[in-house]
Amino acid sequence: MSSLDITVLPSADEVAATVVAELIDLISERSSAGSDVHISLTGGTVGNHIARALLSDETVRNCRSLHLWWSDERYVPVGHEDRNDLVLQDLLEGCLAKVHAVPGPDTTETVEASARAYANELHLATTTRFCATNTLMDVCVLGMGPDGHVASLFPGSATLAMTDGVVAVSNSPKPPPVRVTWTYPTINASEQVWLVVTGASKAAAAEQLQAGALIEEIPAAGVHGKQITRLILDADAYTA
């Protein structure tokens, strides 16, 4: 497991801007070298800001070798206000990067079928890469809730122990309750994991994370990149 690299920035806006700038640099560098680039996105206020700013950049939009994923999604139809990927819908036209959306009930019969379909899509898109580098994502960007959850992996949830890479969630403590999420094996197959944490409501969980909390209590403690694990906080979320 890689050690936790901590960056503290003055505000949530500066956290988002820094993450976007560093992602654009990474995408440009790796795509210029002829590599496919795989980035997973996250929901939430700052996650949405990052996703929109990233896909609004012309370098990113015109990168045919870029794949954008979601580490979790609410099981509602495409275009529904609860979907994480709704934030990108108006940016998809003319975009050459591939955005991999989690199937909703408009295209799959059950949430379990959606999880299987997304797992298969991930497998098809990353098998060659995984065989070469033993990684799925270049960077997995994750938010963290005040309870320490990441993706749709919640404290005390059975999903914390699941080994299938993409699973259905039927009883999320946050609405809507039915979701699809990546599990630790998929998240932790990333070269880099960036935990992006902002706001005073996250400070206690961030402190516990840094102190070595148990996964069952702070699920974020179970995520790590194969090479780099970053915790990027704003001043409100940081406790010295």
Side-chain angles (χ1 to χ4, degrees):
M1 174 179 175
S2 56
S3 60
L4 190 62
D5 178 71
I6 300 172
T7 302
V8 182
L9 296 166
S11 67
D13 285 346
E14 290 186 60
V15 167
T18 296
V19 169
V20 170
E22 292 188 14
L23 287 175
I24 291 172
D25 286 347
L26 183 146
I27 291 165
S28 298
E29 177 185 345
R30 298 193 177 186
S31 62
S32 295
S35 301
D36 281 352
V37 187
H38 292 261
I39 307 291
S40 71
L41 303 172
T42 189
T45 302
V46 174
N48 287 344
H49 186 165
I50 291 168
R52 280 198 67 83
L54 191 64
L55 207 63
S56 298
D57 181 84
E58 286 304 312
T59 299
V60 173
R61 293 181 58 79
N62 293 326
C63 184
R64 296 178 182 271
S65 60
L66 174 62
H67 296 254
L68 297 175
W69 302 84
W70 297 93
S71 54
D72 77 322
E73 184 58 272
R74 291 79 176 268
Y75 187 63
V76 290
V78 170
H80 191 283
E81 63 181 4
D82 284 336
R83 282 188 69 100
N84 288 328
D85 65 6
L86 180 64
V87 69
L88 297 184
Q89 291 304 306
D90 64 325
L91 297 173
L92 296 180
E93 185 175 354
C95 178
L96 301 182
K98 172 64 175 175
V99 179
H100 298 267
V102 178
D106 46 334
T107 56
T108 53
E109 293 185 359
T110 65
V111 65
E112 290 80 10
S114 173
R116 289 193 297 271
Y118 207 51
N120 186 59
E121 186 170 352
L122 181 64
H123 172 74
L124 291 175
T126 61
T127 294
T128 300
R129 169 201 177 91
F130 188 77
C131 290
T133 68
N134 200 34
T135 62
L136 297 175
M137 298 293 110
D138 291 81
V139 179
C140 177
V141 180
L142 294 169
M144 183 182 73
D147 61 354
H149 85 269
V150 289
S152 286
L153 304 176
F154 292 92
S157 170
T159 54
L160 300 179
M162 290 182 177
T163 56
D164 287 345
V166 186
V167 300
V169 175
S170 60
N171 58 350
S172 163
K174 288 187 64 178
V178 183
R179 300 165 175 232
V180 171
T181 188
W182 289 2
T183 57
Y184 287 131
T186 297
I187 292 170
N188 294 344
S190 304
E191 177 186 317
Q192 302 183 39
V193 170
W194 297 2
L195 280 162
V196 179
V197 182
T198 61
S201 66
K202 317 286 181 65
E207 184 176 17
Q208 290 177 268
L209 171 66
Q210 294 170 74
L214 296 175
I215 292 171
E216 292 78 12
E217 298 173 353
I218 303 292
V223 303
H224 55 82
K226 287 184 174 291
Q227 295 184 18
I228 296 171
T229 309
R230 301 180 65 185
L231 177 60
I232 308 170
L233 312 103
D234 70 356
D236 288 340
Y238 179 66
T239 302

